[in-house]
């Protein structure tokens, strides 16, 4: 059966002589792995449509539950080429993409996750604050996949709470907190920004006037939560430091 | 007899681009071959696996300490063409348009797959430049995101040295129609246009 949808390429792995296995986040089928015949050959009809972050209208052929449907067509809607050309930004986007690959199971997370990624990439290409958009993206992705940390109210009894317990993935009040467990205090401003992020649309981010240290603090908390809850270490996380260190480049 | 044929078919299907039917055809072709020719194929494969190693300087495949290109006095040592895989050298050599030397990275950067600069032969390239005598480094990594990122990274790494870093041109493949080119390829071709 032939399916048509829109997709954003997240990852591709070489397969065989000139083929690719492409992982795409699609509007209608969620995360899906597709087999593309010969896109690595010069003059392939796929051209650059299977490069990471490319938003394309795609068609693929396969049974409903086929594990590896065959990609038959990919017409570029927006290439997001400028994002791929900025190495430090691309490395940070890679981290968000890797997280997406880790938290979304295949064939789930259709419309909402696709819309979230597409709007984030659009805002980034239009020159928005990269670090803030990617933080926004991570928070919403965690929410969509059920991994979002709970701030503001105690995860057990619902009372106001300000101490975040990494192992619990939530803030806990004095009554509920277990003894001897590591925790970090959450500033009220950090909690407010977090709940704003959960409510806001990506278009609202440029209007946000927040001191950079608050964004940085929230980003550290979210990254620690991801490390503990989702994956111990994202491969792409070591890259930005490396580039900054070796090439003297500034990350966003 | 069925066991022997079956073994060969299974072994041949391990090769890229060889499905079961092709493997079967090849297996019967080998069976029909003169013994000498079949033995020479087998010997070529075992020789390759036993004797092939990386060139100490450029990481091309060689039997010696240095590959034939690095040893050749006819090659221009002032220019290094950086490629991702040893197989890329063969393609460039076939074009006959480059007379310098090579440097094989043995891959391309890929953040998601954890391919960091340490896993590639970038430090060794830098050491070659630091040793002096090189005037131009031509980066011929693949024209895709990984290849581009690797090219940009190398450019940054080599920035402190007195060496010209160039990138192979992008554009449309010869014999193709503009009508079928995608937006990115076409915009790269327009960016890289030159005066006739």
């Amino acid at each position: 059966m032939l399916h048509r949808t829109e997709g954003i390429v997240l990852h591709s792995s070489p397969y065989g002589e000139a083929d690719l296995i492409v992982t795409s986040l699609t509007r209608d089928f969620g995360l899906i792995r597709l087999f593309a015949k010969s896109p690595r050959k010069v003059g392939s009809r796929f051209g650059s449509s299977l490069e990471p972050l490319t938003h394309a209208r795609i068609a693929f052929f396969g049974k409903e539950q086929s594990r590896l449907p065959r990609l038959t067509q990919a017409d570029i809607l927006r290439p997001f080429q400028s994002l791929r050309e900025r190495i430090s930004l691309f490395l940070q986007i890679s981290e968000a993409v890797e997280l997406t690959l880790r938290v979304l199971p295949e064939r789930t997370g259709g419309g909402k996750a696709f819309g979230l990624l597409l709007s984030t990439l659009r805002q980034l290409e239009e020159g928005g604050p990269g670090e803030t958009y990617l933080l926004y993206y991570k928070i919403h992705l965690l929410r969509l996949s059920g991994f979002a940390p709970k701030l503001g109210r105690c995860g057990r009894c619902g009372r106001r709470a300000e101490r975040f317990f990494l192992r619990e993935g939530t803030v806990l009040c004095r009554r509920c907190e277990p003894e001897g467990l590591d925790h970090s205090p959450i500033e009220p401003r950090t909690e407010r920004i977090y709940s704003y992020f959960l409510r806001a649309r990506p278009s609202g981010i440029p209007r946000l006037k927040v001191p950079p240290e608050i964004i940085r603090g929230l980003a550290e908390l979210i990254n620690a939560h991801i490390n503990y809850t989702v994956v111990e270490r994202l491969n792409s996380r070591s890259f930005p430091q490396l580039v900054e260190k070796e090439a003297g480049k500034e990350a966003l | 007899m069925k066991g022997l044929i079956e073994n060969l078919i299974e072994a041949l299907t391990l090769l890229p681009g060889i499905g079961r039917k092709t493997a079967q055809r090849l297996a019967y072709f080998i069976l029909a071959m003169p013994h000498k020719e079949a033995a020479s194929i087998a010997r070529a494969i075992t020789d390759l696996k036993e004797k092939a190693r990386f060139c100490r300087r450029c990481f091309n495949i060689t039997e010696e300490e240095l590959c034939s290109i690095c040893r050749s006095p006819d090659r221009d040592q002032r220019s290094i063409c950086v490629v991702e895989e040893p197989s890329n050298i063969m393609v460039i050599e076939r074009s006959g348009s480059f007379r310098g030397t090579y440097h094989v990275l043995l891959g391309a950067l890929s953040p998601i797959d954890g391919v960091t600069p340490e896993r590639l032969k970038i430090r060794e390239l830098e050491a070659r430049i630091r040793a002096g005598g090189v005037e131009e480094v031509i980066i011929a990594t693949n024209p895709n995101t990984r290849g581009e990122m690797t090219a940009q990274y190398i450019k940054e790494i080599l920035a402190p040295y007195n060496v010209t870093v160039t990138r192979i041109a992008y554009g449309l493949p010869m014999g193709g129609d503009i009508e079928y080119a995608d937006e990115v390829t076409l915009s790269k071709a327009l960016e890289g246009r030159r005066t006739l």
Side-chain angles (χ1 to χ4, degrees), chain A residues 10-49:
Chain A
L10 299 187
H11 186 246
S12 60
S13 329
Y15 182 81
E17 209 172 342
D19 309 332
L20 278 183
I21 297 199
V22 180
T23 310
S24 193
L25 181 59
T26 62
R27 191 185 284 282
D28 303 300
F29 302 89
L31 202 63
I32 192 167
R33 282 171 10 112
L34 301 159
F35 171 77
K37 185 77 187 155
S38 304
R40 287 151 64 203
K41 285 188 180 168
V42 172
S44 152
R45 67 203 157 98
F46 288 113
S48 66
S49 63

Side-chain angles (χ1 to χ4, degrees), chain B residues 65-139:
Chain B
E65 186 91 339
L66 292 177
C67 70
S68 56
I69 296 173
C70 287
R71 283 198 315 266
S72 170
D74 300 332
R75 306 297 297 219
D76 183 357
Q77 302 288 333
R78 292 169 302 174
S79 144
I80 296 178
C81 179
V82 178
V83 294
E84 287 182 21
E85 300 294 341
S87 56
N88 301 153
I89 293 182
M90 218 181 270
V91 182
I92 298 174
E93 284 296 288
R94 225 166 37 218
S95 78
S97 45
F98 180 67
R99 296 303 303 158
T101 58
Y102 292 92
H103 188 89
V104 186
L105 298 171
L106 301 178
L109 295 177
S110 177
I112 291 180
D113 300 308
V115 183
T116 58
E118 284 86 10
R119 288 177 60 180
L120 304 180
K121 300 296 175 190
I122 294 177
R123 283 269 157 260
E124 290 78 357
L125 172 67
E126 194 183 358
R128 283 178 75 179
I129 307 302
R130 201 184 300 121
V134 178
E135 289 172 10
E136 185 182 10
V137 173
I138 303 163
I139 305 180

Side-chain angles (χ1 to χ4, degrees), chain A residues 11-12 14 17 42-43 47-48 51-52 76 79 81 84-85 87 90-91 94 97-98 235-236 239 242 246-247 249, chain B residues 16-17 109-118 123 143-146 149 152-153 156-157 173 182-185 188:
Chain A
H11 186 246
S12 60
E17 209 172 342
V42 172
S48 66
E51 286 299 295
I76 298 174
Q81 172 72 5
R84 290 194 294 265
E85 284 175 349
I87 189 165
F90 182 73
L91 288 168
S94 296
V97 165
E98 192 182 350
N235 284 332
S236 39
F239 265 77
L242 211 69
E246 295 209 349
K249 274 255 169 186
Chain B
L109 295 177
S110 177
I112 291 180
D113 300 308
V115 183
T116 58
E118 284 86 10
R123 283 269 157 260
N144 55 31
T145 308
R146 289 171 194 167
M149 194 193 298
Q152 282 194 41
Y153 185 81
E156 298 292 344
I157 289 292
D182 65 86
E183 297 88 322
V184 178
T185 308
K188 287 280 183 190

Side-chain angles (χ1 to χ4, degrees), chain A residues 17-116:
Chain A
E17 209 172 342
D19 309 332
L20 278 183
I21 297 199
V22 180
T23 310
S24 193
L25 181 59
T26 62
R27 191 185 284 282
D28 303 300
F29 302 89
L31 202 63
I32 192 167
R33 282 171 10 112
L34 301 159
F35 171 77
K37 185 77 187 155
S38 304
R40 287 151 64 203
K41 285 188 180 168
V42 172
S44 152
R45 67 203 157 98
F46 288 113
S48 66
S49 63
L50 304 182
E51 286 299 295
L53 309 184
T54 302
H55 173 210
R57 187 173 291 117
I58 60 170
F60 59 92
F61 194 81
K63 289 178 187 164
E64 196 66 34
Q65 289 308 317
S66 167
R67 286 183 62 85
L68 199 60
R70 187 175 177 141
L71 187 69
T72 55
Q73 195 185 341
D75 298 319
I76 298 174
L77 293 171
R78 190 157 171 174
F80 291 116
Q81 172 72 5
S82 67
L83 299 181
R84 290 194 294 265
E85 284 175 349
R86 293 161 61 193
I87 189 165
S88 61
L89 177 60
F90 182 73
L91 288 168
Q92 290 181 62
I93 297 172
S94 296
E95 193 186 315
V97 165
E98 192 182 350
L99 181 66
T100 311
L101 292 167
R102 300 285 187 116
V103 298
L104 287 184
E106 274 188 48
R107 306 263 179 162
T108 59
K112 282 185 179 168
F114 172 83
L116 173 66

